[in-house]
Amino acid sequence: METTINKREQKVTLPEKLEFGRIFTPHMFEMDYDAELGGWLEPKITDFRDLVIHPAAMVLHYGLEIFEGLKAYRQVNGNIALFRPEKNFERFNHSAKRLSMPEVDIDLVLSELKKLIKLDEDWIPHRDGYSLYIRPLMIGTEPVLGVRPGSKFKMLIILSPVGPYYPEGFKPIPIMATDKYVRAVRKGVGECKTGGNYAASLLAQKEAREQGYSQVLWLDAIEQRYLEEVGTMNLFVRFKDEIATAPLAGSILPGITRDSVIRILKDWGYNVQERRVSIDELFDAAKEGSLLEVFGSGTAAVISSVSRLKFHDDIIHLAEKDFGELAMKLYHEITGMQYGKIEDRYGWIDLVE
Ligand SMILES: *Cc1c(COP(=O)(O)O)cnc(C)c1O
């Protein structure tokens, strides 16, 4: 994993260990919205700097915030690639709409993002598994304490070089299902990437960590029976004759990796179903021996195999040492396209030129 993947020299010296989202490139994208001035103002690429913000800005009081997460990859031939980036900005607009925030012009933002990446391209690590993490966000900046949709917003995009999610090889993760807390309910904001969803999830994550589990498996908020998603990943369950994942019914995040996994698995001939799977069904299948793998999908780790799964006092043991077979195959397929090692059969790669 530590091999240098292209001939072009890396001009910026990056730290050997890149902690996720700890260092940032020298520039950022910035665009302000002001309803009184007719909407979005000129987009700008500026030096990376601290923001000056009014203490009454709506984001600080009512959580008026949305974000996205995607990556730029340095491909084996030196090209810079994005993976289905228009999907991220479509989802950004979906989150914006739900939170009464203004939508953005996707073509404009994507072309500005490419300019920004080009400007800071020396910060894209040249090593396999490394990438430049891209974080678009929007906040409500109107300085008023009244609770109502705002009229002033700021959109930013910041960039952070990141290392591989599994620097020491592919290690499956232990997860813990909880019925003590819920993440999101249908018709709420569970399908939006908005800060509040994550703030609400941290206590459950902390308690899971205290028990030796790295992520929380969320169950549906109404019956607390059906599998929803895990931390910042969608969840797939591989039974003997079927691969199942929760349907997009409003409470889970519609992952772009999830969508890509479904497409690839169907093309590989698997029976993929978007349906509800209860925690009882999962434990029954484990007992009968028809549960083969459980894995998560998301931009940060791409694919994560689950080593063991706990609910109340019961534990299912899965891939204790190595990734599950199909999880590993999916990881190589998706990262293969991202790093330009295999053909982009779906037209998912968008080059930054
Ligand atoms: C971002 C995210 C995902 C994964 O989405 P991708 O588009 O695949 O990165 C899944 N669940 C939650 C809660 C998320 O925030």
Side-chain angles (χ1 to χ4, degrees):
M1 286 192 69
E2 297 288 313
T3 48
T4 300
I5 56 168
N6 86 72
K7 307 106 215 162
R8 279 198 54 209
E9 208 185 319
Q10 178 115 39
K11 295 196 194 101
V12 174
T13 309
L14 296 168
E16 192 54 34
K17 278 217 164 66
L18 282 171
E19 189 192 340
F20 182 81
R22 181 67 78 180
I23 63 168
F24 297 92
T25 70
H27 298 93
M28 65 184 189
F29 165 87
E30 199 175 347
M31 184 167 72
D32 289 307
Y33 179 97
D34 190 329
E36 281 170 23
L37 298 177
W40 287 109
L41 309 178
E42 276 300 293
K44 284 177 293 195
I45 289 175
T46 62
D47 287 342
F48 191 96
R49 57 174 168 77
D50 289 348
L51 298 180
V52 174
I53 196 166
H54 193 289
M58 295 183 90
V59 61
L60 301 177
H61 303 269
Y62 308 123
L64 223 49
E65 189 269 355
I66 57 168
F67 66 95
E68 266 305 322
L70 65 160
K71 287 171 169 176
Y73 307 88
R74 178 68 74 178
Q75 295 194 314
V76 283
N77 64 3
N79 284 341
I80 304 166
L82 299 171
F83 186 73
R84 312 182 76 184
E86 71 291 345
K87 293 275 169 221
N88 290 92
F89 291 105
E90 283 167 16
R91 191 169 65 190
F92 192 67
N93 276 346
H94 180 81
S95 300
K97 213 169 170 173
R98 179 65 183 82
L99 274 90
S100 307
M101 296 169 88
E103 292 177 55
V104 298
D105 176 337
I106 294 177
D107 291 339
L108 172 83
V109 169
L110 198 46
S111 96
E112 291 294 317
L113 168 62
K114 287 178 178 175
K115 284 188 215 160
L116 175 65
I117 293 170
K118 209 58 199 151
L119 183 64
D120 285 346
E121 75 165 304
D122 287 330
W123 294 73
I124 308 173
H126 286 212
R127 289 154 81 191
D128 202 7
Y130 287 64
S131 59
L132 188 66
Y133 185 79
I134 302 164
R135 170 53 59 87
L137 68 150
M138 194 199 302
I139 56 173
T141 50
E142 190 180 346
V144 60
L145 296 181
V147 179
R148 55 168 174 74
S151 67
K152 289 187 173 62
F153 297 88
K154 185 185 280 294
M155 178 182 177
L156 299 163
I157 305 178
I158 56 176
L159 308 176
S160 172
V162 296
Y165 208 81
Y166 297 101
E168 277 109 40
F170 297 93
K171 213 171 159 294
I173 56 161
I175 64 175
M176 192 177 112
T178 182
D179 58 3
K180 187 174 170 194
Y181 306 102
V182 297
R183 175 186 175 273
V185 67
R186 203 159 57 85
K187 302 186 186 182
V189 294
E191 63 180 13
C192 304
K193 261 183 141 64
T194 180
N197 285 335
Y198 304 84
S201 73
L202 297 179
L203 181 59
Q205 182 177 331
K206 180 173 159 233
E207 291 180 5
R209 292 245 161 112
E210 283 163 4
Q211 294 193 42
Y213 289 81
S214 54
Q215 299 270 351
V216 174
L217 167 54
W218 297 104
L219 301 177
D220 77 282
I222 295 168
E223 296 177 64
Q224 300 190 31
R225 274 184 65 198
Y226 298 100
L227 312 181
E228 296 235 308
E229 59 179 326
V230 181
T232 57
M233 292 189 293
N234 295 110
L235 191 74
F236 287 82
V237 178
R238 181 185 177 198
F239 298 108
K240 255 192 187 132
D241 49 8
E242 179 199 17
I243 296 165
T245 191
L248 300 180
S251 56
I252 67 166
L253 213 286
I256 295 158
T257 321
R258 172 189 180 279
D259 184 74
S260 310
V261 165
I262 292 173
R263 181 75 193 274
I264 292 168
L265 287 176
K266 284 186 176 168
D267 283 354
W268 284 348
Y270 287 97
N271 169 24
V272 185
Q273 298 298 328
E274 295 177 58
R275 68 164 178 95
R276 301 211 291 179
V277 173
S278 72
I279 190 88
D280 299 326
E281 181 183 351
L282 197 68
F283 275 87
D284 288 346
K287 258 181 231 137
E288 287 167 12
S290 59
L291 177 66
L292 303 184
E293 283 182 52
V294 177
F295 57 88
S297 71
T299 296
V302 190
I303 301 290
S304 273
S305 218
V306 172
S307 59
R308 62 180 193 280
L309 195 155
K310 182 172 195 244
F311 183 56
H312 294 162
D313 293 327
D314 293 321
I315 298 178
I316 299 174
H317 291 271
L318 292 144
E320 276 298 352
K321 272 220 286 309
D322 301 308
F323 260 40
E325 173 217 332
L326 190 60
M328 197 73 248
K329 202 172 153 205
L330 280 165
Y331 177 89
H332 287 304
E333 186 72 12
I334 295 171
T335 57
M337 289 184 225
Q338 291 168 337
Y339 290 95
K341 294 176 193 170
I342 63 171
E343 190 202 341
D344 170 26
R345 301 192 305 280
Y346 303 101
W348 285 344
I349 296 301
D350 187 351
L351 294 180
V352 178
E353 282 156 335

